[in-house]
Amino acid sequence: MQCDDADRARGMTSSFDLTTHGAALYGGAACAMLPALDRFVATLPADRAGLRLHGRPLLADLLGPGHAPGRIAAAVLGLPARPVRAILFDKTAATNWALGWHQDRTIAVRARVGTPGFGPWTVKAGIQHVEPPFAIIAAMLTVRIHLDDVPDDNAPLLIAPGSHTLGRIAEGAIADTVARCGTVACTARAGDIWAYATPILHASAAASGAGHRRVLQVDFSASGLPGDLAWLGV
């Protein structure tokens, strides 16, 4: 998918900001990366709903400070902002799903190490995940790199603006919080980057199934973990 310069310029006019709304659009920021990302994705297994990525040097380079995602994370979080988890989502006719309203509350780590304040533990695709103290989630940034167009009918991420400021939201309070904050669909063109405060409430519908809806989602952090715990990274 090629980037259209005029569309990119229009994308830059987004009025959203990370502090107030918890999300910001960086129109066309990943255009220069698309050929390399397309080649990288072509090496991955197809028809996987969410592919967790680790131990891939090319991806680590593309997410470093020399490219747009790493620069955005460093500008928001400061140095040393680094990618700590990456997932490729691809909604197609073969792999399609809807996602209810929720907060991301777990992190990926290299190994399970009992640590006060961390838990419960889960294993996803063979990777250890744990729910940390919420302050760690609140200090993270999630970056979504769009490899395909995501118009209204292709399952754009839905967010509840401002919900990132409310701390850990109890499951029973999520619906009321979304109603109070409102809902915004984060449409995008290939090459756009949406950045989110990681705690923001979000959801998505099933895609149209007419084509790919590839999104590389990357969590960034500028802080370490206590004791012997270590971020998984990419």
Side-chain angles (χ1 to χ4, degrees):
M1 180 71 68
Q2 297 296 315
C3 291
D4 180 284
D5 290 339
D7 285 340
R8 298 289 72 76
R10 285 193 291 273
M12 293 297 291
T13 64
S14 169
S15 61
F16 271 53
D17 70 81
L18 282 160
T19 300
T20 303
H21 305 98
L25 172 64
Y26 296 81
C31 279
M33 300 173 58
L34 284 184
L37 284 171
D38 279 332
R39 290 192 296 271
F40 170 73
V41 170
T43 69
L44 302 175
D47 294 330
R48 298 280 292 275
L51 188 61
R52 297 171 191 272
L53 305 172
H54 173 61
R56 300 178 184 271
L58 175 59
L59 181 61
D61 176 68
L62 291 172
L63 298 177
H67 297 279
R71 289 196 297 268
I72 290 169
V76 174
L77 301 177
L79 294 174
R82 59 193 180 280
V84 294
R85 176 170 57 183
I87 307 173
L88 178 70
F89 295 111
D90 187 6
K91 291 186 178 183
T92 67
T95 55
N96 207 349
W97 70 97
L99 185 68
W101 286 99
H102 70 286
Q103 289 177 304
D104 289 337
R105 294 179 182 169
T106 63
I107 59 174
V109 296
R110 293 182 187 173
R112 179 168 180 163
V113 180
T115 305
F118 286 73
W121 290 82
T122 54
V123 177
K124 303 175 184 180
I127 296 171
Q128 288 283 352
H129 285 70
V130 65
E131 185 171 328
F134 199 77
I136 291 176
I137 299 291
M140 294 171 63
L141 182 74
T142 297
V143 172
R144 286 170 62 91
I145 307 161
H146 291 270
L147 280 69
D148 301 297
D149 291 349
V150 185
D152 285 320
D153 67 347
N154 205 24
L157 197 73
L158 307 175
I159 62 167
S163 60
H164 66 297
T165 67
L166 303 177
R168 191 182 190 281
I169 300 170
E171 294 293 328
I174 287 178
D176 287 343
T177 303
V178 171
R180 187 170 69 252
C181 292
T183 301
V184 170
C186 298
T187 57
R189 293 293 187 97
D192 287 350
I193 291 177
W194 272 98
Y196 306 88
T198 300
I200 200 166
L201 282 171
H202 59 284
S204 68
S208 63
H212 284 278
R213 184 266 210 185
R214 298 170 299 165
V215 179
L216 179 60
Q217 178 171 302
V218 187
D219 292 336
F220 284 85
S221 176
S223 61
L225 296 175
D228 293 327
L229 275 178
W231 295 102
L232 178 67
V234 299

PDB file of all heavy atoms in Angstrom, residues 165-201:
ATOM      1  N   THR A 165      -6.778   8.850  32.311  1.00  0.00           N
ATOM      2  CA  THR A 165      -6.458   9.604  33.535  1.00  0.00           C
ATOM      3  C   THR A 165      -7.138   9.037  34.772  1.00  0.00           C
ATOM      4  O   THR A 165      -6.936   9.562  35.870  1.00  0.00           O
ATOM      5  CB  THR A 165      -6.873  11.074  33.382  1.00  0.00           C
ATOM      6  OG1 THR A 165      -8.316  11.157  33.295  1.00  0.00           O
ATOM      7  CG2 THR A 165      -6.260  11.698  32.138  1.00  0.00           C
ATOM      8  N   LEU A 166      -7.933   7.979  34.616  1.00  0.00           N
ATOM      9  CA  LEU A 166      -8.809   7.522  35.692  1.00  0.00           C
ATOM     10  C   LEU A 166      -8.245   6.365  36.496  1.00  0.00           C
ATOM     11  O   LEU A 166      -8.927   5.822  37.360  1.00  0.00           O
ATOM     12  CB  LEU A 166     -10.172   7.136  35.115  1.00  0.00           C
ATOM     13  CG  LEU A 166     -10.889   8.249  34.335  1.00  0.00           C
ATOM     14  CD1 LEU A 166     -12.197   7.741  33.741  1.00  0.00           C
ATOM     15  CD2 LEU A 166     -11.122   9.461  35.228  1.00  0.00           C
ATOM     16  N   GLY A 167      -7.016   5.963  36.213  1.00  0.00           N
ATOM     17  CA  GLY A 167      -6.420   4.862  36.954  1.00  0.00           C
ATOM     18  C   GLY A 167      -7.003   3.525  36.540  1.00  0.00           C
ATOM     19  O   GLY A 167      -7.572   3.367  35.455  1.00  0.00           O
ATOM     20  N   ARG A 168      -6.864   2.555  37.424  1.00  0.00           N
ATOM     21  CA  ARG A 168      -7.389   1.218  37.142  1.00  0.00           C
ATOM     22  C   ARG A 168      -8.907   1.241  37.295  1.00  0.00           C
ATOM     23  O   ARG A 168      -9.434   1.532  38.366  1.00  0.00           O
ATOM     24  CB  ARG A 168      -6.784   0.200  38.098  1.00  0.00           C
ATOM     25  CG  ARG A 168      -7.063  -1.254  37.724  1.00  0.00           C
ATOM     26  CD  ARG A 168      -6.468  -2.195  38.751  1.00  0.00           C
ATOM     27  NE  ARG A 168      -6.513  -3.582  38.316  1.00  0.00           N
ATOM     28  CZ  ARG A 168      -7.580  -4.362  38.364  1.00  0.00           C
ATOM     29  NH1 ARG A 168      -8.721  -3.885  38.854  1.00  0.00           N
ATOM     30  NH2 ARG A 168      -7.522  -5.617  37.949  1.00  0.00           N
ATOM     31  N   ILE A 169      -9.616   0.936  36.225  1.00  0.00           N
ATOM     32  CA  ILE A 169     -11.068   1.030  36.211  1.00  0.00           C
ATOM     33  C   ILE A 169     -11.659  -0.359  36.446  1.00  0.00           C
ATOM     34  O   ILE A 169     -11.334  -1.311  35.730  1.00  0.00           O
ATOM     35  CB  ILE A 169     -11.559   1.598  34.862  1.00  0.00           C
ATOM     36  CG1 ILE A 169     -10.959   2.990  34.640  1.00  0.00           C
ATOM     37  CG2 ILE A 169     -13.078   1.656  34.819  1.00  0.00           C
ATOM     38  CD1 ILE A 169     -11.170   3.533  33.259  1.00  0.00           C
ATOM     39  N   ALA A 170     -12.487  -0.482  37.455  1.00  0.00           N
ATOM     40  CA  ALA A 170     -13.106  -1.768  37.775  1.00  0.00           C
ATOM     41  C   ALA A 170     -13.963  -2.237  36.605  1.00  0.00           C
ATOM     42  O   ALA A 170     -14.577  -1.433  35.893  1.00  0.00           O
ATOM     43  CB  ALA A 170     -13.957  -1.646  39.034  1.00  0.00           C
ATOM     44  N   GLU A 171     -14.016  -3.562  36.407  1.00  0.00           N
ATOM     45  CA  GLU A 171     -14.773  -4.114  35.287  1.00  0.00           C
ATOM     46  C   GLU A 171     -16.220  -3.612  35.285  1.00  0.00           C
ATOM     47  O   GLU A 171     -16.774  -3.282  34.239  1.00  0.00           O
ATOM     48  CB  GLU A 171     -14.749  -5.642  35.346  1.00  0.00           C
ATOM     49  CG  GLU A 171     -13.377  -6.262  35.143  1.00  0.00           C
ATOM     50  CD  GLU A 171     -12.850  -6.056  33.737  1.00  0.00           C
ATOM     51  OE1 GLU A 171     -13.678  -6.005  32.806  1.00  0.00           O
ATOM     52  OE2 GLU A 171     -11.626  -5.951  33.575  1.00  0.00           O
ATOM     53  N   GLY A 172     -16.827  -3.557  36.465  1.00  0.00           N
ATOM     54  CA  GLY A 172     -18.221  -3.147  36.547  1.00  0.00           C
ATOM     55  C   GLY A 172     -18.458  -1.681  36.252  1.00  0.00           C
ATOM     56  O   GLY A 172     -19.604  -1.267  36.045  1.00  0.00           O
ATOM     57  N   ALA A 173     -17.384  -0.891  36.203  1.00  0.00           N
ATOM     58  CA  ALA A 173     -17.517   0.544  35.950  1.00  0.00           C
ATOM     59  C   ALA A 173     -17.155   0.929  34.521  1.00  0.00           C
ATOM     60  O   ALA A 173     -17.265   2.094  34.146  1.00  0.00           O
ATOM     61  CB  ALA A 173     -16.635   1.323  36.929  1.00  0.00           C
ATOM     62  N   ILE A 174     -16.723  -0.053  33.715  1.00  0.00           N
ATOM     63  CA  ILE A 174     -16.233   0.273  32.373  1.00  0.00           C
ATOM     64  C   ILE A 174     -17.338   0.853  31.498  1.00  0.00           C
ATOM     65  O   ILE A 174     -17.143   1.876  30.824  1.00  0.00           O
ATOM     66  CB  ILE A 174     -15.595  -0.962  31.724  1.00  0.00           C
ATOM     67  CG1 ILE A 174     -14.233  -1.247  32.391  1.00  0.00           C
ATOM     68  CG2 ILE A 174     -15.425  -0.759  30.219  1.00  0.00           C
ATOM     69  CD1 ILE A 174     -13.535  -2.480  31.862  1.00  0.00           C
ATOM     70  N   ALA A 175     -18.503   0.237  31.472  1.00  0.00           N
ATOM     71  CA  ALA A 175     -19.580   0.707  30.600  1.00  0.00           C
ATOM     72  C   ALA A 175     -19.977   2.141  30.934  1.00  0.00           C
ATOM     73  O   ALA A 175     -20.157   2.979  30.030  1.00  0.00           O
ATOM     74  CB  ALA A 175     -20.782  -0.227  30.700  1.00  0.00           C
ATOM     75  N   ASP A 176     -20.124   2.451  32.214  1.00  0.00           N
ATOM     76  CA  ASP A 176     -20.483   3.811  32.617  1.00  0.00           C
ATOM     77  C   ASP A 176     -19.377   4.796  32.258  1.00  0.00           C
ATOM     78  O   ASP A 176     -19.648   5.944  31.870  1.00  0.00           O
ATOM     79  CB  ASP A 176     -20.770   3.868  34.113  1.00  0.00           C
ATOM     80  CG  ASP A 176     -22.092   3.220  34.483  1.00  0.00           C
ATOM     81  OD1 ASP A 176     -22.931   3.018  33.575  1.00  0.00           O
ATOM     82  OD2 ASP A 176     -22.284   2.905  35.667  1.00  0.00           O
ATOM     83  N   THR A 177     -18.122   4.365  32.388  1.00  0.00           N
ATOM     84  CA  THR A 177     -17.003   5.244  32.056  1.00  0.00           C
ATOM     85  C   THR A 177     -16.985   5.569  30.569  1.00  0.00           C
ATOM     86  O   THR A 177     -16.776   6.715  30.169  1.00  0.00           O
ATOM     87  CB  THR A 177     -15.671   4.598  32.471  1.00  0.00           C
ATOM     88  OG1 THR A 177     -15.704   4.306  33.873  1.00  0.00           O
ATOM     89  CG2 THR A 177     -14.504   5.529  32.187  1.00  0.00           C
ATOM     90  N   VAL A 178     -17.226   4.559  29.738  1.00  0.00           N
ATOM     91  CA  VAL A 178     -17.272   4.791  28.289  1.00  0.00           C
ATOM     92  C   VAL A 178     -18.412   5.740  27.948  1.00  0.00           C
ATOM     93  O   VAL A 178     -18.259   6.658  27.127  1.00  0.00           O
ATOM     94  CB  VAL A 178     -17.416   3.451  27.533  1.00  0.00           C
ATOM     95  CG1 VAL A 178     -17.681   3.690  26.055  1.00  0.00           C
ATOM     96  CG2 VAL A 178     -16.165   2.601  27.724  1.00  0.00           C
ATOM     97  N   ALA A 179     -19.564   5.552  28.578  1.00  0.00           N
ATOM     98  CA  ALA A 179     -20.702   6.431  28.314  1.00  0.00           C
ATOM     99  C   ALA A 179     -20.381   7.866  28.702  1.00  0.00           C
ATOM    100  O   ALA A 179     -20.786   8.815  28.008  1.00  0.00           O
ATOM    101  CB  ALA A 179     -21.929   5.923  29.069  1.00  0.00           C
ATOM    102  N   ARG A 180     -19.654   8.028  29.783  1.00  0.00           N
ATOM    103  CA  ARG A 180     -19.315   9.371  30.255  1.00  0.00           C
ATOM    104  C   ARG A 180     -18.248  10.036  29.384  1.00  0.00           C
ATOM    105  O   ARG A 180     -18.320  11.229  29.084  1.00  0.00           O
ATOM    106  CB  ARG A 180     -18.836   9.301  31.708  1.00  0.00           C
ATOM    107  CG  ARG A 180     -18.609  10.676  32.344  1.00  0.00           C
ATOM    108  CD  ARG A 180     -18.387  10.549  33.837  1.00  0.00           C
ATOM    109  NE  ARG A 180     -17.118   9.911  34.151  1.00  0.00           N
ATOM    110  CZ  ARG A 180     -16.980   8.678  34.630  1.00  0.00           C
ATOM    111  NH1 ARG A 180     -18.066   7.936  34.835  1.00  0.00           N
ATOM    112  NH2 ARG A 180     -15.791   8.181  34.905  1.00  0.00           N
ATOM    113  N   CYS A 181     -17.249   9.269  28.964  1.00  0.00           N
ATOM    114  CA  CYS A 181     -16.142   9.822  28.180  1.00  0.00           C
ATOM    115  C   CYS A 181     -16.481   9.965  26.703  1.00  0.00           C
ATOM    116  O   CYS A 181     -15.899  10.794  26.001  1.00  0.00           O
ATOM    117  CB  CYS A 181     -14.902   8.933  28.319  1.00  0.00           C
ATOM    118  SG  CYS A 181     -14.150   8.919  29.955  1.00  0.00           S
ATOM    119  N   GLY A 182     -17.408   9.143  26.217  1.00  0.00           N
ATOM    120  CA  GLY A 182     -17.706   9.136  24.794  1.00  0.00           C
ATOM    121  C   GLY A 182     -16.793   8.177  24.044  1.00  0.00           C
ATOM    122  O   GLY A 182     -15.879   7.579  24.617  1.00  0.00           O
ATOM    123  N   THR A 183     -17.043   8.024  22.762  1.00  0.00           N
ATOM    124  CA  THR A 183     -16.323   7.061  21.930  1.00  0.00           C
ATOM    125  C   THR A 183     -15.827   7.746  20.663  1.00  0.00           C
ATOM    126  O   THR A 183     -16.575   8.501  20.039  1.00  0.00           O
ATOM    127  CB  THR A 183     -17.236   5.886  21.542  1.00  0.00           C
ATOM    128  OG1 THR A 183     -17.714   5.247  22.716  1.00  0.00           O
ATOM    129  CG2 THR A 183     -16.487   4.877  20.695  1.00  0.00           C
ATOM    130  N   VAL A 184     -14.597   7.450  20.297  1.00  0.00           N
ATOM    131  CA  VAL A 184     -14.023   7.976  19.060  1.00  0.00           C
ATOM    132  C   VAL A 184     -13.420   6.815  18.270  1.00  0.00           C
ATOM    133  O   VAL A 184     -12.726   5.964  18.845  1.00  0.00           O
ATOM    134  CB  VAL A 184     -12.935   9.035  19.347  1.00  0.00           C
ATOM    135  CG1 VAL A 184     -12.177   9.391  18.067  1.00  0.00           C
ATOM    136  CG2 VAL A 184     -13.553  10.279  19.964  1.00  0.00           C
ATOM    137  N   ALA A 185     -13.695   6.768  16.970  1.00  0.00           N
ATOM    138  CA  ALA A 185     -13.103   5.759  16.091  1.00  0.00           C
ATOM    139  C   ALA A 185     -11.806   6.312  15.503  1.00  0.00           C
ATOM    140  O   ALA A 185     -11.801   7.370  14.878  1.00  0.00           O
ATOM    141  CB  ALA A 185     -14.080   5.395  14.975  1.00  0.00           C
ATOM    142  N   CYS A 186     -10.709   5.579  15.702  1.00  0.00           N
ATOM    143  CA  CYS A 186      -9.395   6.041  15.265  1.00  0.00           C
ATOM    144  C   CYS A 186      -9.100   5.489  13.867  1.00  0.00           C
ATOM    145  O   CYS A 186      -8.344   4.524  13.697  1.00  0.00           O
ATOM    146  CB  CYS A 186      -8.326   5.609  16.263  1.00  0.00           C
ATOM    147  SG  CYS A 186      -8.567   6.313  17.905  1.00  0.00           S
ATOM    148  N   THR A 187      -9.735   6.090  12.869  1.00  0.00           N
ATOM    149  CA  THR A 187      -9.493   5.675  11.491  1.00  0.00           C
ATOM    150  C   THR A 187      -8.072   6.052  11.082  1.00  0.00           C
ATOM    151  O   THR A 187      -7.445   6.930  11.679  1.00  0.00           O
ATOM    152  CB  THR A 187     -10.507   6.316  10.538  1.00  0.00           C
ATOM    153  OG1 THR A 187     -10.422   7.740  10.673  1.00  0.00           O
ATOM    154  CG2 THR A 187     -11.920   5.859  10.870  1.00  0.00           C
ATOM    155  N   ALA A 188      -7.571   5.368  10.044  1.00  0.00           N
ATOM    156  CA  ALA A 188      -6.180   5.599   9.646  1.00  0.00           C
ATOM    157  C   ALA A 188      -5.985   5.215   8.193  1.00  0.00           C
ATOM    158  O   ALA A 188      -6.794   4.493   7.604  1.00  0.00           O
ATOM    159  CB  ALA A 188      -5.233   4.791  10.528  1.00  0.00           C
ATOM    160  N   ARG A 189      -4.908   5.704   7.625  1.00  0.00           N
ATOM    161  CA  ARG A 189      -4.427   5.278   6.324  1.00  0.00           C
ATOM    162  C   ARG A 189      -3.112   4.527   6.517  1.00  0.00           C
ATOM    163  O   ARG A 189      -2.423   4.720   7.521  1.00  0.00           O
ATOM    164  CB  ARG A 189      -4.196   6.488   5.401  1.00  0.00           C
ATOM    165  CG  ARG A 189      -5.481   7.223   5.004  1.00  0.00           C
ATOM    166  CD  ARG A 189      -6.370   6.365   4.121  1.00  0.00           C
ATOM    167  NE  ARG A 189      -7.513   7.102   3.597  1.00  0.00           N
ATOM    168  CZ  ARG A 189      -7.541   7.654   2.393  1.00  0.00           C
ATOM    169  NH1 ARG A 189      -6.487   7.576   1.598  1.00  0.00           N
ATOM    170  NH2 ARG A 189      -8.611   8.293   1.988  1.00  0.00           N
ATOM    171  N   ALA A 190      -2.770   3.702   5.556  1.00  0.00           N
ATOM    172  CA  ALA A 190      -1.491   2.998   5.625  1.00  0.00           C
ATOM    173  C   ALA A 190      -0.360   4.012   5.790  1.00  0.00           C
ATOM    174  O   ALA A 190      -0.303   5.000   5.064  1.00  0.00           O
ATOM    175  CB  ALA A 190      -1.286   2.166   4.362  1.00  0.00           C
ATOM    176  N   GLY A 191       0.510   3.748   6.751  1.00  0.00           N
ATOM    177  CA  GLY A 191       1.604   4.666   7.042  1.00  0.00           C
ATOM    178  C   GLY A 191       1.337   5.589   8.208  1.00  0.00           C
ATOM    179  O   GLY A 191       2.260   6.263   8.690  1.00  0.00           O
ATOM    180  N   ASP A 192       0.098   5.652   8.677  1.00  0.00           N
ATOM    181  CA  ASP A 192      -0.212   6.453   9.863  1.00  0.00           C
ATOM    182  C   ASP A 192       0.219   5.722  11.124  1.00  0.00           C
ATOM    183  O   ASP A 192       0.255   4.479  11.171  1.00  0.00           O
ATOM    184  CB  ASP A 192      -1.712   6.733   9.960  1.00  0.00           C
ATOM    185  CG  ASP A 192      -2.209   7.752   8.947  1.00  0.00           C
ATOM    186  OD1 ASP A 192      -1.368   8.396   8.290  1.00  0.00           O
ATOM    187  OD2 ASP A 192      -3.450   7.896   8.821  1.00  0.00           O
ATOM    188  N   ILE A 193       0.499   6.486  12.158  1.00  0.00           N
ATOM    189  CA  ILE A 193       0.757   5.954  13.491  1.00  0.00           C
ATOM    190  C   ILE A 193      -0.210   6.615  14.465  1.00  0.00           C
ATOM    191  O   ILE A 193      -0.327   7.844  14.492  1.00  0.00           O
ATOM    192  CB  ILE A 193       2.209   6.218  13.952  1.00  0.00           C
ATOM    193  CG1 ILE A 193       3.199   5.391  13.118  1.00  0.00           C
ATOM    194  CG2 ILE A 193       2.377   5.904  15.438  1.00  0.00           C
ATOM    195  CD1 ILE A 193       4.654   5.650  13.472  1.00  0.00           C
ATOM    196  N   TRP A 194      -0.897   5.796  15.224  1.00  0.00           N
ATOM    197  CA  TRP A 194      -1.664   6.281  16.379  1.00  0.00           C
ATOM    198  C   TRP A 194      -0.883   5.906  17.636  1.00  0.00           C
ATOM    199  O   TRP A 194      -0.457   4.750  17.786  1.00  0.00           O
ATOM    200  CB  TRP A 194      -3.048   5.633  16.438  1.00  0.00           C
ATOM    201  CG  TRP A 194      -4.119   6.340  15.671  1.00  0.00           C
ATOM    202  CD1 TRP A 194      -4.579   6.043  14.425  1.00  0.00           C
ATOM    203  CD2 TRP A 194      -4.891   7.467  16.124  1.00  0.00           C
ATOM    204  NE1 TRP A 194      -5.586   6.901  14.063  1.00  0.00           N
ATOM    205  CE2 TRP A 194      -5.791   7.795  15.084  1.00  0.00           C
ATOM    206  CE3 TRP A 194      -4.893   8.230  17.289  1.00  0.00           C
ATOM    207  CZ2 TRP A 194      -6.694   8.848  15.181  1.00  0.00           C
ATOM    208  CZ3 TRP A 194      -5.791   9.276  17.396  1.00  0.00           C
ATOM    209  CH2 TRP A 194      -6.684   9.579  16.347  1.00  0.00           C
ATOM    210  N   ALA A 195      -0.707   6.858  18.514  1.00  0.00           N
ATOM    211  CA  ALA A 195      -0.070   6.601  19.810  1.00  0.00           C
ATOM    212  C   ALA A 195      -1.105   6.810  20.905  1.00  0.00           C
ATOM    213  O   ALA A 195      -1.901   7.759  20.847  1.00  0.00           O
ATOM    214  CB  ALA A 195       1.119   7.532  20.012  1.00  0.00           C
ATOM    215  N   TYR A 196      -1.090   5.907  21.896  1.00  0.00           N
ATOM    216  CA  TYR A 196      -2.074   5.934  22.971  1.00  0.00           C
ATOM    217  C   TYR A 196      -1.385   5.826  24.321  1.00  0.00           C
ATOM    218  O   TYR A 196      -0.393   5.101  24.463  1.00  0.00           O
ATOM    219  CB  TYR A 196      -3.041   4.742  22.865  1.00  0.00           C
ATOM    220  CG  TYR A 196      -3.726   4.602  21.545  1.00  0.00           C
ATOM    221  CD1 TYR A 196      -3.143   3.879  20.511  1.00  0.00           C
ATOM    222  CD2 TYR A 196      -4.964   5.192  21.322  1.00  0.00           C
ATOM    223  CE1 TYR A 196      -3.758   3.754  19.285  1.00  0.00           C
ATOM    224  CE2 TYR A 196      -5.595   5.066  20.093  1.00  0.00           C
ATOM    225  CZ  TYR A 196      -4.992   4.350  19.079  1.00  0.00           C
ATOM    226  OH  TYR A 196      -5.596   4.228  17.861  1.00  0.00           O
ATOM    227  N   ALA A 197      -1.956   6.515  25.313  1.00  0.00           N
ATOM    228  CA  ALA A 197      -1.596   6.203  26.690  1.00  0.00           C
ATOM    229  C   ALA A 197      -2.075   4.774  26.938  1.00  0.00           C
ATOM    230  O   ALA A 197      -3.245   4.462  26.725  1.00  0.00           O
ATOM    231  CB  ALA A 197      -2.260   7.182  27.656  1.00  0.00           C
ATOM    232  N   THR A 198      -1.188   3.902  27.349  1.00  0.00           N
ATOM    233  CA  THR A 198      -1.514   2.477  27.441  1.00  0.00           C
ATOM    234  C   THR A 198      -2.761   2.185  28.279  1.00  0.00           C
ATOM    235  O   THR A 198      -3.508   1.261  27.946  1.00  0.00           O
ATOM    236  CB  THR A 198      -0.289   1.703  27.959  1.00  0.00           C
ATOM    237  OG1 THR A 198       0.794   1.895  27.033  1.00  0.00           O
ATOM    238  CG2 THR A 198      -0.560   0.208  28.099  1.00  0.00           C
ATOM    239  N   PRO A 199      -3.064   2.936  29.360  1.00  0.00           N
ATOM    240  CA  PRO A 199      -4.254   2.588  30.161  1.00  0.00           C
ATOM    241  C   PRO A 199      -5.589   2.971  29.537  1.00  0.00           C
ATOM    242  O   PRO A 199      -6.635   2.697  30.138  1.00  0.00           O
ATOM    243  CB  PRO A 199      -4.048   3.381  31.467  1.00  0.00           C
ATOM    244  CG  PRO A 199      -2.659   3.903  31.430  1.00  0.00           C
ATOM    245  CD  PRO A 199      -2.270   3.993  30.004  1.00  0.00           C
ATOM    246  N   ILE A 200      -5.615   3.595  28.371  1.00  0.00           N
ATOM    247  CA  ILE A 200      -6.882   4.094  27.832  1.00  0.00           C
ATOM    248  C   ILE A 200      -7.856   2.935  27.582  1.00  0.00           C
ATOM    249  O   ILE A 200      -7.460   1.844  27.167  1.00  0.00           O
ATOM    250  CB  ILE A 200      -6.628   4.887  26.529  1.00  0.00           C
ATOM    251  CG1 ILE A 200      -7.812   5.801  26.218  1.00  0.00           C
ATOM    252  CG2 ILE A 200      -6.332   3.956  25.359  1.00  0.00           C
ATOM    253  CD1 ILE A 200      -7.505   6.855  25.158  1.00  0.00           C
ATOM    254  N   LEU A 201      -9.130   3.163  27.852  1.00  0.00           N
ATOM    255  CA  LEU A 201     -10.159   2.185  27.522  1.00  0.00           C
ATOM    256  C   LEU A 201     -10.313   2.122  26.003  1.00  0.00           C
ATOM    257  O   LEU A 201     -10.413   3.161  25.333  1.00  0.00           O
ATOM    258  CB  LEU A 201     -11.497   2.569  28.147  1.00  0.00           C
ATOM    259  CG  LEU A 201     -11.671   2.285  29.643  1.00  0.00           C
ATOM    260  CD1 LEU A 201     -12.958   2.935  30.149  1.00  0.00           C
ATOM    261  CD2 LEU A 201     -11.688   0.793  29.925  1.00  0.00           C
TER     262      LEU A 201
END
